[in-house]
Amino acid sequence: MPRKINGVGIQVEDTQVCVVMVGLPARGKSYIAQRAQRYLRWLDIPAETFNVGNYRRNSAPQPTADFFDTNNPEGERKRRAAAEAAVADMLKWFANGGIVGILDATNSTKERRKWVMDEVAKAGVDVIFVESKCDNEELILANIRDVKTTSPDYKGKDPEAAALDFRNRIRNYEKAYKSINEDGDEDDLTYLKIMDVGKQVIINRIQDYLQSRIVYYLMNLRIRPRTVWLSRHGESMLNLEGRIGGDAVLSHRGEEYARKLPELVRASVGDDRPLTVWTSTLKRTISTARFLPKHYNQLQWKALDELDAGVCDGLTYQEIKDRFPEDFAARDADKYNYRYRGGESYRDVVIRLEPIIMELERSEDILIISHQAVIRCIYAYFMQKNQEDSPWLPVPLHTLIKLTTRAYGTDQEKTAANIKAVSTWRGKGSTARHEDPVPEGGI
Amino acid sequence: MPRKINGVGIQVEDTQVCVVMVGLPARGKSYIAQRAQRYLRWLDIPAETFNVGNYRRNSAPQPTADFFDTNNPEGERKRRAAAEAAVADMLKWFANGGIVGILDATNSTKERRKWVMDEVAKAGVDVIFVESKCDNEELILANIRDVKTTSPDYKGKDPEAAALDFRNRIRNYEKAYKSINEDGDEDDLTYLKIMDVGKQVIINRIQDYLQSRIVYYLMNLRIRPRTVWLSRHGESMLNLEGRIGGDAVLSHRGEEYARKLPELVRASVGDDRPLTVWTSTLKRTISTARFLPKHYNQLQWKALDELDAGVCDGLTYQEIKDRFPEDFAARDADKYNYRYRGGESYRDVVIRLEPIIMELERSEDILIISHQAVIRCIYAYFMQKNQEDSPWLPVPLHTLIKLTTRAYGTDQEKTAANIKAVSTWRGKGSTARHEDPVPEGGI
């Protein structure tokens, strides 16, 4: 039964969408599938990937290339059975309220696509095909390198033999491969075709809201590694007092951090690399950015302002508990969804950060100087933190965080400025002005 | 010299973009050009359209179809001169800080596109070609009808003769027409090709932020007429007191409006037509929507909340003037850009409404129940109001506004519920609780 997701500014209505990946092996399909899943889940849209290879490994754990030859009936039968099992599980998942199911497989023939389309349509679920078509040798080689070292299909095998076998597997797929609508008879399908990693994109018959969100996200994806730096503003005068929100100036130590930041950034970014700096519109982030090299572009985004605490803006946690005891308890019970009176919830912040995430996906080398809650939400996107945990993440002041996106995950590096600052982390139930020690497992 | 637009959450950096329209006559090129211009200007990005036809009319006011025959040297010469004059003016405009120039012409041959590309590139301006390719007879006929009645080329002519001549003109263009990259040798161009009004879209080599904004907007454009209904919430308790912001419940009369709204909506929308209702997250809009038919989808958007008045939230204008006299004056001096301390400016509201506008372009039949400032911004988008005027627009309470987008503009219809309400309009400098009379020229 479709779930209605209302009240969050993401309109899903009654639609369920099955994203069916299409493409030869080593074209980045799984990468695209995983990124789509991460993005949708971050927006609180239930999304799940069904990888046909995982199902096939139940009956054929480490097949050689000839298993994928279309003239191998045993291979054909097992591959077909794996696809059927994956689709069956996916349809069960849709029946339980899933919104976006992603079928991660080659689906490289018209017949296979027609079969998937029919099965999924019977369940009342819309289908959008997403093909990654790529003739860029460099990218294919990089993917082959990746597969031979990480795929369970080749675990324990000689890497060179694995690479050779995998190339032969690709060749077997190529024999039967048809790009979507290559013959002009799949014109009625809804599809997105991404050529050579976004160099060209074809979008066919996309109508629905949710589909167009997915398409817009995927067409902005860059596959090569990118780096994003995050920092909170320097310690502010209100931080010292344990007050939340406001628009205070930096403390003496916060100033010190602002002066040291250029050095930290240069060491991490490199001297000559151009960088764009995004701050919020609040004094404490703009001040923190003000000693950075003049040749960096700087942009202020209202969307990077701290979570709006509404009537609680400028209060200490003790004052909030005294004046709004029910709100204090409600927030601790569900910090992600609790919306301050006249203010925002973490969920609201995620929604307003969505364009920022889209820009980050498209841009390269951005330094974001923002606030505790905002950095938690951005960090949660990159590091796939769930919504129960992310509002509680410790984010230290006076620390530069470097996130580098890789094919399957994000690397993290932290540089402390070694300038003392208060702790603004708060544990559940606590009204401490500055809570120490801060638990492990933070950013 | 490129202008930097910072601090508004729209990243333009140093880029200037020339949007070069491509396509046969009657393919909706001017419609697309005008919509792009409207959208960009709403986002405060300087945009201007240069229509080659207007330049050509200086030397050939009402040419017949044979003027457009490629074998007519006189016609060729004059058309070439018109294109040169338009491009020259456009480059002058770029030199004075223009950001997005739109060249509205057929540009239907490879040679012409190469020439435009070279001229514009010399000035350091990026080029994106936007082709509307359409074989849909119905749409072409509608455009021909439009042209024969509205184009200055056929003013005073017999409509049937005009239609015939225009068809011959199209035929002359067809002789030389090449769709972009039809021969595969324009692969290096950055282009967007819109086929059959968005049924299929091809996006080639789009990289830059501003280009991808334009592309995303254009791929969401629907050409057929659509309707959007707007209403403010019913009169609230704070409206009665002349206080701004807050999260008050409806007054007695506001309740009356909520109860009458279903009748107004039914009369305007029709009984059976499905409708989606968007409200803000504030009580007064949700209450106003609560008697609408149950089969309407309802969605709450934080992005539709009223302009955040920050420290002035809940105050009367007299109190604001007393407590923050400098802010009061600064706001009146530049209401669009003035940002309340800890709150928002109209500019901020436009930025956060941008995804709403994008959704509106894609959706059909939406009723928005929101707030004075928000409705001003949405209205300004559809009716092309400029930023100096839009923050001062009178928007009456207890009134349903129907906006229907047409090819060249938006029709407006207003239905008053005939339920009294206070006036919340305020003239420059005034601190009146309820100012009457309200000037003419409002929504």
Side-chain angles (χ1 to χ4, degrees):
Chain A
M1 225 203 49
R3 190 171 77 132
K4 274 200 202 187
I5 303 183
N6 280 353
V8 297
I10 294 289
Q11 183 181 5
V12 173
E13 289 176 1
D14 299 329
T15 50
Q16 294 176 297
V17 179
C18 177
V19 175
V20 180
M21 301 305 303
V22 173
L24 292 170
R27 261 61 180 186
K29 292 185 302 299
S30 295
Y31 174 80
I32 293 169
Q34 292 199 13
R35 296 299 291 275
Q37 177 183 299
R38 184 180 92 183
Y39 169 71
L40 292 162
R41 285 186 179 176
W42 184 71
L43 289 172
D44 199 30
I45 295 171
E48 189 69 59
T49 303
F50 298 84
N51 181 300
V52 173
N54 289 340
Y55 287 81
R56 184 260 303 151
R57 271 184 284 275
N58 290 334
S59 65
Q62 291 199 315
T64 51
D66 58 318
F67 179 85
F68 300 92
D69 188 331
T70 45
N71 295 320
N72 178 338
E74 173 71 2
E76 280 285 279
R77 196 183 55 72
K78 284 186 173 169
R79 287 160 59 204
R80 171 80 188 204
E84 282 170 0
V87 168
D89 276 1
M90 183 173 69
L91 294 180
K92 252 181 255 163
W93 179 82
F94 274 123
N96 287 317
I99 297 288
V100 182
I102 305 171
L103 187 67
D104 184 11
T106 53
N107 298 305
S108 53
T109 64
K110 280 193 264 186
E111 295 67 34
R112 177 55 58 91
R113 292 195 284 270
K114 187 173 179 327
W115 172 77
V116 172
M117 180 79 206
D118 291 346
E119 289 300 302
V120 174
K122 263 189 257 169
V125 174
D126 295 337
V127 173
I128 166 171
F129 291 94
V130 174
E131 175 167 356
S132 175
K133 190 170 185 304
C134 176
D135 303 317
N136 181 316
E137 264 306 310
E138 204 185 320
L139 187 88
I140 297 169
L141 276 174
N143 274 325
I144 290 175
R145 263 196 303 275
D146 221 46
V147 166
K148 80 181 181 196
T149 52
T150 63
S151 168
D153 284 357
Y154 296 109
K155 206 178 166 189
K157 304 279 175 191
D158 169 64
E160 286 324 299
L164 187 68
D165 182 82
F166 191 59
R167 282 182 167 284
N168 285 331
R169 185 196 293 192
I170 294 174
R171 233 158 261 142
N172 275 328
Y173 271 104
E174 278 168 349
K175 288 182 206 162
Y177 170 59
K178 278 277 179 202
S179 178
I180 295 184
N181 206 22
E182 189 180 330
D183 297 339
D185 56 353
E186 292 178 300
D187 199 41
D188 285 343
L189 300 183
T190 292
Y191 66 81
L192 166 69
K193 201 189 281 203
I194 303 171
M195 259 99 92
D196 288 336
V197 198
K199 205 208 76 185
Q200 187 177 87
V201 170
I202 298 178
I203 298 164
N204 199 61
R205 294 191 182 276
I206 305 281
Q207 296 270 353
D208 167 76
Y209 173 79
L210 185 54
Q211 290 175 20
S212 75
R213 299 296 297 197
I214 296 168
V215 164
Y216 185 53
Y217 178 74
L218 293 181
M219 62 184 254
N220 283 319
L221 268 191
R222 297 280 168 271
I223 293 189
R224 68 199 171 100
R226 276 172 328 93
T227 307
V228 174
W229 287 267
L230 305 175
S231 171
R232 292 177 65 186
H233 53 82
E235 183 187 69
S236 80
M237 294 307 282
L238 285 183
N239 288 152
L240 289 179
E241 297 174 30
R243 295 186 180 280
I244 66 171
D247 191 13
V249 296
L250 298 181
S251 72
H252 182 72
R253 297 188 298 198
E255 276 290 317
E256 216 183 310
Y257 178 66
R259 286 179 193 280
K260 195 164 181 186
L261 188 58
E263 182 191 322
L264 295 186
V265 169
R266 247 194 314 267
S268 183
V269 177
D271 263 341
D272 301 325
R273 213 157 137 191
L275 193 70
T276 298
V277 182
W278 293 351
T279 66
S280 74
T281 67
L282 297 168
K283 288 183 200 130
R284 56 195 185 277
T285 64
I286 297 168
S287 292
T288 303
R290 78 187 192 281
F291 299 114
L292 290 167
K294 290 280 168 266
H295 65 274
Y296 289 180
N297 263 323
Q298 287 206 16
L299 265 172
Q300 295 166 22
W301 294 79
K302 186 85 187 159
L304 289 173
D305 280 5
E306 182 55 309
L307 186 148
D308 182 353
V311 294
C312 295
D313 189 68
L315 302 186
T316 65
Y317 288 113
Q318 188 59 52
E319 287 168 347
I320 296 173
K321 192 176 182 183
D322 293 346
R323 296 191 206 170
F324 307 101
E326 285 171 24
D327 288 79
F328 188 82
R331 185 158 201 259
D332 274 2
D334 185 359
K335 199 172 175 187
Y336 187 80
N337 287 300
Y338 171 79
R339 177 183 286 155
Y340 278 111
R341 300 188 194 188
E344 292 178 302
S345 63
Y346 270 84
R347 181 184 293 280
D348 293 330
V349 173
V350 162
I351 302 296
R352 77 157 138 98
L353 282 175
E354 203 263 347
I356 297 273
I357 291 296
M358 212 62 101
E359 289 325 305
L360 279 178
E361 284 298 347
R362 192 162 28 209
S363 321
E364 311 199 14
D365 294 356
I366 302 282
L367 163 61
I368 297 179
I369 300 176
S370 183
H371 306 266
Q372 182 166 259
V374 170
I375 288 185
R376 279 171 176 158
C377 295
I378 295 173
Y379 185 85
Y381 170 77
F382 283 105
M383 305 303 285
Q384 307 199 53
K385 296 288 173 192
N386 67 43
Q387 296 159 353
E388 239 159 82
D389 301 330
S390 60
W392 298 100
L393 276 178
V395 188
L397 283 164
H398 300 176
T399 305
L400 184 66
I401 302 144
K402 178 182 180 181
L403 300 179
T404 306
T405 62
R406 307 262 174 224
Y408 296 100
T410 305
D411 291 349
Q412 168 181 345
E413 218 176 275
K414 245 180 17 177
T415 316
N418 295 321
I419 296 166
K420 282 219 169 114
V422 296
S423 149
T424 60
W425 180 82
R426 180 185 76 88
K428 207 170 267 198
S430 162
T431 58
R433 186 154 291 197
H434 303 120
E435 200 162 351
D436 275 314
V438 170
E440 296 288 309
I443 293 181
Chain B
M1 225 202 50
R3 191 172 77 132
K4 274 198 202 190
I5 303 183
N6 279 354
V8 298
I10 294 288
Q11 183 180 6
V12 173
E13 291 176 356
D14 298 329
T15 50
Q16 294 176 295
V17 179
C18 178
V19 176
V20 180
M21 301 305 303
V22 173
L24 292 170
R27 262 61 180 185
K29 291 185 303 298
S30 296
Y31 174 80
I32 293 170
Q34 292 199 12
R35 297 299 291 276
Q37 177 184 299
R38 185 180 91 184
Y39 169 71
L40 292 162
R41 286 185 177 177
W42 184 72
L43 288 172
D44 200 28
I45 295 171
E48 189 70 59
T49 304
F50 298 84
N51 181 300
V52 173
N54 289 339
Y55 287 82
R56 184 260 303 151
R57 270 183 284 275
N58 290 334
S59 65
Q62 291 199 316
T64 50
D66 59 317
F67 178 85
F68 299 93
D69 188 331
T70 45
N71 296 319
N72 178 339
E74 174 72 359
E76 280 285 279
R77 195 183 56 74
K78 284 185 173 170
R79 286 158 61 204
R80 170 80 187 205
E84 283 169 0
V87 168
D89 276 1
M90 183 173 68
L91 294 180
K92 250 183 257 163
W93 179 83
F94 274 122
N96 287 318
I99 297 287
V100 182
I102 304 170
L103 187 66
D104 184 9
T106 52
N107 298 305
S108 53
T109 64
K110 280 193 263 186
E111 294 67 35
R112 177 55 58 91
R113 292 195 284 271
K114 186 172 178 331
W115 173 76
V116 172
M117 180 78 205
D118 291 346
E119 290 299 305
V120 174
K122 264 189 258 170
V125 175
D126 296 337
V127 173
I128 167 169
F129 291 93
V130 174
E131 175 167 357
S132 175
K133 189 171 184 303
C134 176
D135 303 318
N136 182 315
E137 263 306 310
E138 205 185 319
L139 187 89
I140 297 169
L141 276 174
N143 275 324
I144 290 176
R145 261 196 304 276
D146 221 47
V147 166
K148 81 182 180 196
T149 52
T150 64
S151 167
D153 284 357
Y154 296 110
K155 207 177 164 189
K157 305 277 174 191
D158 168 64
E160 286 325 297
L164 186 69
D165 182 81
F166 191 58
R167 283 182 166 282
N168 285 331
R169 184 195 294 192
I170 294 174
R171 234 157 261 143
N172 274 328
Y173 272 104
E174 278 168 349
K175 287 182 204 161
Y177 170 59
K178 278 277 179 202
S179 178
I180 294 184
N181 205 22
E182 188 181 331
D183 297 339
D185 55 355
E186 291 179 301
D187 199 42
D188 285 343
L189 299 183
T190 293
Y191 65 83
L192 166 69
K193 201 189 281 202
I194 303 171
M195 260 99 92
D196 288 337
V197 198
K199 205 207 77 186
Q200 187 177 88
V201 170
I202 298 178
I203 298 164
N204 198 61
R205 296 193 183 273
I206 305 281
Q207 295 270 356
D208 166 76
Y209 173 79
L210 185 54
Q211 290 175 19
S212 75
R213 300 294 299 196
I214 296 168
V215 163
Y216 184 54
Y217 177 75
L218 292 180
M219 62 185 253
N220 283 321
L221 268 191
R222 299 279 168 270
I223 292 188
R224 66 200 172 99
R226 277 171 329 92
T227 307
V228 173
W229 287 266
L230 305 174
S231 171
R232 294 178 64 186
H233 53 81
E235 182 188 69
S236 79
M237 295 306 282
L238 284 184
N239 288 152
L240 289 178
E241 297 174 31
R243 295 187 180 277
I244 66 170
D247 191 12
V249 297
L250 298 181
S251 72
H252 182 74
R253 298 188 297 198
E255 276 291 316
E256 216 182 309
Y257 178 66
R259 288 179 192 281
K260 195 164 181 186
L261 187 58
E263 182 191 322
L264 295 187
V265 170
R266 249 194 313 267
S268 183
V269 178
D271 264 340
D272 301 324
R273 215 160 137 188
L275 193 68
T276 298
V277 182
W278 294 349
T279 67
S280 74
T281 67
L282 297 168
K283 288 182 199 131
R284 56 195 186 278
T285 65
I286 297 167
S287 293
T288 303
R290 77 187 192 282
F291 300 113
L292 290 167
K294 290 282 168 261
H295 66 273
Y296 289 180
N297 264 323
Q298 286 207 16
L299 266 172
Q300 296 166 22
W301 295 78
K302 185 86 185 158
L304 289 173
D305 281 4
E306 181 55 310
L307 185 148
D308 182 353
V311 295
C312 295
D313 189 67
L315 302 185
T316 64
Y317 288 114
Q318 189 59 54
E319 287 168 347
I320 296 173
K321 193 176 181 182
D322 293 345
R323 296 190 207 171
F324 307 99
E326 284 171 24
D327 288 78
F328 188 83
R331 185 158 201 259
D332 274 2
D334 185 358
K335 199 173 175 187
Y336 187 80
N337 287 300
Y338 171 79
R339 177 183 285 155
Y340 278 111
R341 301 189 194 186
E344 292 179 302
S345 63
Y346 270 85
R347 181 185 292 279
D348 293 330
V349 173
V350 161
I351 301 297
R352 75 157 140 98
L353 283 175
E354 203 265 345
I356 298 271
I357 291 296
M358 213 61 103
E359 290 323 305
L360 280 178
E361 283 298 345
R362 190 162 31 210
S363 321
E364 310 199 14
D365 292 356
I366 303 281
L367 163 60
I368 297 179
I369 301 177
S370 183
H371 306 265
Q372 182 167 258
V374 170
I375 288 186
R376 280 172 176 156
C377 294
I378 297 173
Y379 184 86
Y381 169 77
F382 283 106
M383 306 303 285
Q384 307 199 53
K385 296 286 172 193
N386 67 43
Q387 296 160 352
E388 240 159 82
D389 300 331
S390 61
W392 298 100
L393 275 177
V395 188
L397 283 164
H398 300 175
T399 305
L400 184 66
I401 302 144
K402 178 182 180 182
L403 300 180
T404 306
T405 63
R406 306 265 175 221
Y408 297 101
T410 305
D411 290 350
Q412 167 181 346
E413 217 176 275
K414 246 180 17 177
T415 316
N418 295 321
I419 297 166
K420 281 215 169 120
V422 297
S423 149
T424 60
W425 179 83
R426 179 185 77 86
K428 207 171 269 200
S430 163
T431 58
R433 187 154 291 198
H434 304 119
E435 199 161 352
D436 274 314
V438 170
E440 295 289 309
I443 295 182

